[in-house]
Every structure is written in structure tokens, then in C-alpha cells.
Amino acid sequence: MAEPYNAPSIDEYLRERLMPVEGAIPHVQGIEMYGNSIPAGTVGGDLFEYINFQQRYDIDARIQRALKRSKEYLEPLAAGAAPRNSVDDHVEWLKSRPGYRPEMETEYRAARSSEQVRAAEVLRELNSTAGVLVVDAEGHGIISAKIASTVHDTFHALMLAELDYRGKTSPELFERMNLRLAQSVSARNALGRSEKEGAQEIATMLYGEIHPYGYFRFVNFGHPPPLVFSAEYRKFMDVDKSQMVQFLPLGLQLAEDDPDRNRYLSLEFRERRAESSDVAELTLLSPGDIFFLYTDGVYDGSDKEERQQVENVMREHNQLAPKEICKALLEYAVKRDERLRKMGEEDRIDDKTVFIIKRN
């Protein structure tokens, strides 16, 4: 007789959802990587996930679909036939407008077709690229886990649309995520809150894409910046701040040209900049160099003494595999928690995430 199914509790379910899966570790030429998380309680607000494009998406099928669409978009619709796609639908609308000319259809079809050709070209790059998503929701309980889960689900829903349209991630994806975490004016009014009260769903996020031999492009919403450990100099290197673009945490600052900006609360409006200036870039120059990504339960990114301690751990273990380096850093963070408990400072204990990217 089969044993009855016992549904997991909400905290068990969220913990399972937010923990990284080792079998999803991507393979990128010239790179080894590994990450892990330890929640402060049963479940926490840290989320770490490998974005294994080759495993998660059928890239070849997506390329073929984009090329097929590029051809279909060029084909005129037979008289009396129902629209086959969004291009046909728009062309029918164009024909209903005053001043329509036949060349308008030709030009529009060509433009939409070329978008799909470009998407197919860009999609090929995902065969050699991997992504990493690190989220730290404020607090470390079920509510924090739910916020991190919201970021996760929003990211993947928007990613599907991005791959269909562009074949890659774009700043628009992250602007939409930022808006999703913002508090709406109507929600504030319904809950009886004042404008002076803080946002209820605050999360930092770092999303980056790793290319062969250590080229790393990333966007950062309020998250501690990555540290770069040099194998040659055996220390963390100082990085030019212009390479470390950083916005406020998700939901706190909307773009000034967002059409819905007046429907949400924002500390201030941010000028939307050119695409290239919204993305930070770093490169591992030599074999053995390491990118160290983390949440503030391990290191908050500012304390010089703690940075030195973390650097010492990295120096002792940097020649090992990323999994062992990750383990050593998390063990350091757990021992730090033990000291905080003895000092009666349990409120400083937080969820812990470490992600190591090492160049071979």
C-alpha cells in the first residue's frame, strides 16, 4: 500500500524552491563555478540560481523558430485570410488607416523580419554563456522567502519574452522587475499607509552573464558588488568604481520616463541612461583569478576588517576547486554567527550565500 502524500509546509516548499541545484551548473569554456546558500532559519530571503541556458531552453529550436518567423513575416497575407501572426494583424490595421500606401506594408514586414534574424544570431551566443541570479530579500523568514520567490518568478517570466523578441536579456527586463517590486500608490492607500513609511518588499539583486574565460557583464540593484581575487597578488583587487554601476534595491527608484511612475512610490526618479552605462563589466585576466559574489550574511561589502578576514579565507583556499572555496567561506560565515550569538547580537545574523567563478 502506497504511503499517503504529505504536503510540505510553506517554509519547506519555499526553501526547496530557493536552493540552488548542483545538477544545473553550466559549463563555460575556461571557467569553473559553484555557489550555495545557508538560510538563517528554516527558510530565508536569499536566492541563488544558475541560469543554464543550454539546459533550461532549447536554443537550437528557438533559433529555427526565429528564422521561420523572419520568413513568414515577409509573406503577404492572402486576400480574405485571417491574420497568422502579429505582423499580419498590424498590417491589417495599417490598411484601415487614412494615407495607407503599399510600401508601408513592405517596409514594416522587412523591419519585423530583420528583428527575428537578429534574435537568431544573438541566441547562438547562449550556447557559450551562463547566467547567475543572486537575490537578497530584506529579513530572513517566510515573508522574505516569498519576496525572493516573487523576484525569481518575475525574472523567468520576463526572460521568456526577452528570448522570443531579442534573443538576450536587455535593460527593459530589469526595469520591469524593478517596477514589479515597487509599491503602488493604490496599495498604500488601501493599506492605510503614509508616504513616509518604508516600502514593504525590498530586495537587492545581482544578475550577471559569464562568457568564456571570465568576461562578466552584470546589473546590480543595491547588492554588494563582486570582489575580484587575484591569484598572482593573492588578494582582492581594487576595482574602478566606474565599472561597478549600482542602482538602489528593487522597487525603490523608478525611471523618470516610466509611464506609470506616478502610480508608484519612488524615493526619487532615476534618469534612464544609455544601455551600455547601465551594465557593469569585469574580466578575470589570469588563470586562477576569482569573482566572489555574496550576500551580506557573509560580508556586507563595506567593513574593512571583515573584508580582511574574508580575504584571508580566500587566500588559504584559492587554489582549490570552487566548491571547496565556497564551503570554506560559508564555514567562516557560520563561525562568525556563533561569535555574534555569544555577544548577544543575534539580530545581526542573516542568510548567507556565496558564489565563486574561477578562471582555469
Side-chain angles (χ1 to χ4, degrees):
M1 183 176 178
E3 294 184 6
Y5 169 71
N6 294 316
S9 64
I10 184 63
D11 52 350
E12 291 171 337
Y13 168 75
L14 287 171
R15 177 168 182 168
E16 186 71 20
R17 264 195 116 219
L18 301 180
M19 291 298 287
V21 179
E22 189 166 343
I25 299 177
H27 297 285
V28 178
Q29 190 171 13
I31 292 295
E32 291 181 90
M33 66 185 83
Y34 187 83
N36 206 354
S37 293
I38 300 176
T42 306
V43 67
D46 277 12
L47 179 151
F48 161 72
E49 184 178 26
Y50 306 102
I51 310 299
N52 188 330
F53 292 109
Q54 301 89 353
Q55 188 181 85
R56 180 176 286 273
Y57 309 104
D58 191 332
I59 297 173
D60 290 339
R62 284 183 166 273
I63 291 171
Q64 293 307 311
R65 185 175 67 174
L67 293 175
K68 181 180 178 182
R69 282 176 172 173
S70 71
K71 295 177 181 178
E72 289 178 346
Y73 287 172
L74 291 173
E75 299 172 359
L77 184 64
R84 301 158 298 182
N85 48 53
S86 62
V87 173
D88 289 346
D89 182 68
H90 189 71
V91 167
E92 291 300 295
W93 176 82
L94 280 175
K95 290 180 177 179
S96 71
R97 307 295 294 169
Y100 168 76
R101 302 184 310 278
E103 57 266 28
M104 294 169 67
E105 175 180 355
T106 303
E107 292 168 357
Y108 178 71
R109 287 188 178 280
R112 290 293 305 276
S113 173
S114 66
E115 284 179 349
Q116 291 298 302
V117 172
R118 182 181 182 185
E121 290 179 356
V122 174
L123 280 164
R124 291 188 177 93
E125 297 178 12
L126 298 186
N127 283 313
S128 60
T129 305
V132 58
L133 178 66
V134 183
V135 177
D136 183 1
E138 186 177 54
H140 43 263
I142 292 179
I143 298 300
S144 300
K146 176 60 177 69
I147 295 170
S149 182
T150 296
V151 176
H152 171 270
D153 292 348
T154 303
F155 173 84
H156 282 291
L158 292 173
M159 177 68 85
L160 289 171
E162 288 287 280
L163 295 185
D164 281 349
Y165 181 57
R166 293 185 173 88
K168 63 177 182 179
T169 55
S170 72
E172 283 76 9
L173 182 152
F174 302 104
E175 291 291 0
R176 293 186 180 105
M177 289 188 67
N178 187 42
L179 186 65
R180 173 66 183 86
L181 268 289
Q183 187 180 63
S184 71
V185 172
S186 58
R188 181 203 69 198
N189 293 341
L191 295 170
R193 296 194 179 112
S194 70
E195 290 189 27
K196 294 181 180 180
E197 289 184 84
Q200 299 302 299
E201 295 190 350
I202 297 177
T204 67
M205 181 194 75
L206 188 148
Y207 171 75
E209 291 180 350
I210 309 154
H211 299 258
Y213 300 105
Y215 175 56
F216 187 53
R217 300 183 78 237
F218 61 96
V219 292
N220 187 344
F221 283 85
H223 202 80
L227 291 174
V228 182
F229 185 86
S230 166
E232 178 181 358
Y233 296 103
R234 294 175 54 76
K235 67 177 184 178
F236 290 130
M237 305 302 293
D238 293 327
V239 179
D240 184 353
K241 290 185 178 180
S242 65
Q243 295 179 277
M244 305 291 267
V245 182
Q246 187 176 45
F247 302 123
L248 292 180
L250 290 169
L252 294 187
Q253 187 181 44
L254 305 183
E256 64 179 3
D257 62 348
D258 192 298
D260 295 324
R261 65 188 181 281
N262 293 326
R263 300 293 185 265
Y264 290 84
L265 303 180
S266 181
L267 295 182
E268 60 184 24
F269 294 120
R270 168 171 48 81
E271 179 182 357
R272 195 189 299 267
R273 300 177 295 179
E275 180 173 332
S276 59
S277 64
D278 284 344
V279 180
E281 300 179 356
L282 293 172
T283 302
L284 296 176
L285 297 177
S286 305
D289 287 355
I290 294 168
F291 286 139
F292 170 40
L293 278 63
Y294 50 94
T295 56
D296 54 13
V298 176
Y299 170 53
D300 68 4
S302 62
D303 188 283
K304 291 183 178 179
E305 183 178 341
E306 286 189 11
R307 174 179 165 128
Q308 185 62 57
Q309 292 174 355
V310 172
E311 185 176 78
N312 291 340
V313 176
M314 185 72 81
R315 186 180 296 116
E316 292 172 10
H317 299 86
N318 74 95
Q319 295 185 12
L320 302 178
K323 185 173 183 178
E324 298 306 313
I325 299 172
C326 177
K327 179 181 178 182
L329 288 163
L330 287 173
E331 287 176 350
Y332 154 79
V334 170
K335 290 178 181 177
R336 176 176 170 269
D337 289 352
E338 293 172 358
R339 293 196 298 272
L340 290 173
R341 288 190 184 93
K342 290 178 181 178
M343 295 165 58
E345 298 182 9
E346 292 90 344
D347 59 326
R348 292 177 56 192
I349 296 174
D350 205 349
D351 308 311
K352 291 161 280 292
T353 293
V354 169
F355 180 61
I356 299 295
I357 305 170
K358 183 175 182 180
R359 179 171 173 178
N360 290 337

